[in-house]
Amino acid sequence: MLVLSRKVGEKLVIDGNIIVEVVKVQGNRITLGIAAPSDVKVLRGELANKKQKTQTVELVVKDGLLVAC
């Protein structure tokens, strides 16, 4: 993990086409602006984790035995 210190207005460029900018710092909260191509999915961490937990799993049972999942 890369850990950086940034001030308001400073940016971080990822892979040349994703820009993360510190917009505001207030107390223990920061506001970030993210500019990315439309084909890049940007999710908050808690939403990404929730999506992973709710994935559908298909189980294949043959002759009473689990053969694939």
Side-chain angles (χ1 to χ4, degrees):
M1 175 188 297
L2 173 64
V3 179
L4 298 172
S5 295
R6 301 276 77 198
K7 295 178 183 177
V8 172
E10 292 183 326
K11 299 175 183 176
L12 174 67
V13 179
I14 302 170
D15 201 28
N17 62 351
I18 300 170
I19 300 170
V20 180
E21 180 178 353
V22 179
V23 176
K24 180 172 74 171
V25 177
Q26 187 173 20
N28 65 348
R29 294 183 63 115
I30 62 169
T31 303
L32 298 174
I34 302 169
S38 59
D39 62 327
V40 174
K41 188 179 289 189
V42 179
L43 294 174
R44 296 188 326 252
E46 64 272 18
L47 293 180
N49 291 338
K50 183 177 181 181
K51 185 175 180 180
Q52 290 174 358
K53 290 179 183 177
T54 60
Q55 290 179 346
T56 302
V57 177
E58 181 179 348
L59 303 176
V60 178
V61 177
K62 186 173 182 180
D63 296 328
L65 299 173
L66 178 64
V67 294
C69 60

